[in-house]
Amino acid sequence: MRKIIRKTISYLRQDLHNVGCAFGHAFGFAFAFVFACIFACVTLTSCGSGQDNVPLYEYDAYYLNKENTKVLRVDYESQLENTEENTKALVGELIYVLSNVAEKPEYVPPISGNVVLLNYTLSDGQLTLDFSELYYKQDKIQEILGRAAIVRTLSQLRGIRTVSFSVLEMPLTDSAGLPVGTMTAESLVDNAGTEINAYEQAQLHLYFANEE
């Protein structure tokens, strides 16, 4: 930027030097100096304000650890605000984030390896992610954790109410062959930052009928 300003001042001095031959050297150089100072101030002010005044909005991005035992949260900042108008653009941006390695190498992106995303559609608040046939080749725990990481990341967007998975445009099924169905962040076991368990622990009250 300083080089550009110096060149601009140099060119102005040369041009105004020729003008100064007719109207006086003193007036020509004085005008060039004042104009160059104004140009430099305006340029530097506009460049500085353009970089400092861009608002950033915070989101949560979820990854897996290398042992496939945890879902880890990562802070992510975007220039897009979390509004329904920005939902489609934010989906593409967050999918890109979940497909690439985080700053910490021990964090594994959930959309990688056998998780090959072919397409996604958003309709009436339902986001459908369609994967290749390699999706079913994942380890069971890895699949559950990866699915949780993806759903948690994308369901925080205001324009998304539910998330569903499909494989080659067929609804995703579990190990028993039953459709997984639509998902939300609340429908998944909360294991972020803790060891995954096969079952979620809950306190239940059991009632038994007496002989009567």
Side-chain angles (χ1 to χ4, degrees):
M1 180 59 67
R2 292 180 178 176
K3 292 182 179 179
I4 296 175
I5 293 173
R6 292 196 187 100
K7 289 183 179 180
T8 303
I9 295 174
S10 177
Y11 292 150
L12 288 171
R13 284 181 175 176
Q14 292 177 5
D15 294 339
L16 291 173
H17 177 75
N18 297 330
V19 176
C21 293
F23 296 95
H25 292 284
F27 175 79
F29 283 116
F31 180 80
F33 178 76
V34 173
F35 182 83
C37 290
I38 295 174
F39 174 81
C41 292
V42 172
T43 303
L44 292 175
T45 301
S46 62
C47 291
S49 61
Q51 294 177 353
D52 299 336
N53 296 334
V54 176
L56 294 176
Y57 302 93
E58 295 183 355
Y59 297 90
D60 295 330
Y62 291 91
Y63 289 77
L64 280 65
N65 66 342
K66 287 186 176 181
E67 294 75 21
N68 291 330
T69 57
K70 296 180 182 179
V71 174
L72 306 173
R73 185 181 64 84
V74 177
D75 294 328
Y76 175 73
E77 293 182 337
S78 171
Q79 295 183 7
L80 295 177
E81 186 178 1
N82 191 0
T83 63
E84 291 189 4
E85 291 77 12
N86 292 334
T87 299
K88 289 184 178 180
L90 281 169
V91 168
E93 184 173 338
L94 290 177
I95 285 177
Y96 176 82
V97 171
L98 298 180
S99 304
N100 291 271
V101 179
E103 295 180 358
K104 297 182 179 180
E106 63 270 21
Y107 288 14
V108 179
I111 303 179
S112 62
N114 288 330
V115 184
V116 180
L117 182 63
L118 301 178
N119 189 22
Y120 63 88
T121 57
L122 178 62
S123 178
D124 296 330
Q126 178 174 328
L127 177 65
T128 302
L129 305 174
D130 187 50
F131 299 93
S132 73
E133 68 279 3
L134 295 176
Y135 187 90
Y136 284 118
K137 294 187 177 181
Q138 294 182 91
D139 175 82
K140 182 179 180 180
I141 298 299
Q142 179 184 0
E143 190 276 327
I144 295 174
L145 288 174
R147 179 153 44 91
I150 295 172
V151 172
R152 285 184 186 177
T153 301
L154 297 175
S155 62
Q156 67 187 303
L157 302 181
R158 291 186 178 178
I160 296 177
R161 293 193 298 270
T162 59
V163 181
S164 63
F165 283 24
S166 63
V167 176
L168 297 180
E169 300 184 354
M170 297 297 294
L172 177 68
T173 58
D174 59 18
S175 57
L178 300 175
V180 173
T182 58
M183 297 165 285
T184 63
E186 291 76 18
S187 65
L188 299 167
V189 178
D190 186 6
N191 56 66
T194 60
E195 294 293 330
I196 182 65
N197 294 317
Y199 300 97
E200 181 180 11
Q201 294 183 355
Q203 184 176 1
L204 302 176
H205 297 281
L206 300 179
Y207 297 90
F208 297 92
N210 55 21
E211 295 181 356
E212 298 180 358

